Amino acid sequence: MKNKLTYVYLLFWLSPLLTSPFLWFGATVEDIGIFRPIRGNGILVAKNFSTLAIFYFLLTLAMVLFEYTRRSRFVKIVILSLQIVFLSFFFMIPRIILGPTGLSPSGLSDVDFYRETYWISVQPAYVIALLGLVLSVSFYFIFNFLKEKN
């Protein structure tokens, strides 16, 4: 049973795939006096951030491949590092999409307006995907480094 618990992180890692059909971002952006709505689901985000999507799929493939083979401590550290890098970029997606040139015409000088529009535009499906990735990285660290047999 304990051995099967180590695979839980893979289930949480797949949360962006499960939430990709749902709306991740919804906002209205003023672009040269024209208001246009942003309706972005996970599939659209993957299409527009293709490098990040390819990185996600390659990392997922590597994690599954190395989970069923004998792994050294070096491979575990590399996978954890790549997970943290991906999580950092995934966390910055709303900032990239809705950034100071998008919703806030004054840039970051209008922090209150930017913060409010940021939380209004981010939808629950993105938050679920983000929390799933955070839990995945946490479980991977716990089961591979903290509870490791010496």
Side-chain angles (χ1 to χ4, degrees), residues 82-101:
L82 291 175
Q83 283 180 325
I84 292 170
V85 167
F86 178 79
L87 181 62
S88 300
F89 283 123
F90 192 82
F91 184 76
M92 289 189 302
I93 287 176
R95 175 73 173 93
I96 295 168
I97 293 174
L98 307 170
T101 59

Side-chain angles (χ1 to χ4, degrees), residues 46-74:
K47 186 176 160 185
N48 289 325
F49 294 94
S50 58
T51 305
L52 192 62
I54 291 169
F55 180 59
Y56 174 76
F57 287 116
L58 290 177
L59 183 56
T60 303
L61 183 66
M63 287 174 13
V64 170
L65 179 70
F66 285 116
E67 191 60 46
Y68 295 106
T69 61
R70 187 178 172 128
R71 296 176 295 163
S72 67
R73 187 163 175 84
F74 176 74

Side-chain angles (χ1 to χ4, degrees), residues 29-135:
V29 177
E30 182 179 345
D31 185 31
I32 315 172
I34 300 170
F35 286 96
R36 58 184 170 90
I38 292 178
R39 292 274 178 228
N41 59 10
I43 297 168
L44 185 64
V45 170
K47 186 176 160 185
N48 289 325
F49 294 94
S50 58
T51 305
L52 192 62
I54 291 169
F55 180 59
Y56 174 76
F57 287 116
L58 290 177
L59 183 56
T60 303
L61 183 66
M63 287 174 13
V64 170
L65 179 70
F66 285 116
E67 191 60 46
Y68 295 106
T69 61
R70 187 178 172 128
R71 296 176 295 163
S72 67
R73 187 163 175 84
F74 176 74
V75 171
K76 291 178 185 179
I77 291 171
V78 168
I79 287 177
L80 180 66
S81 301
L82 291 175
Q83 283 180 325
I84 292 170
V85 167
F86 178 79
L87 181 62
S88 300
F89 283 123
F90 192 82
F91 184 76
M92 289 189 302
I93 287 176
R95 175 73 173 93
I96 295 168
I97 293 174
L98 307 170
T101 59
L103 289 177
S104 177
S106 61
L108 291 176
S109 62
D110 193 2
V111 175
D112 291 332
F113 175 77
Y114 180 74
R115 189 179 305 129
E116 289 172 14
T117 54
Y118 180 85
W119 290 116
I120 289 171
S121 63
V122 173
Q123 301 297 316
Y126 172 76
V127 176
I128 291 170
L130 183 63
L131 288 176
L133 289 174
V134 168
L135 287 172

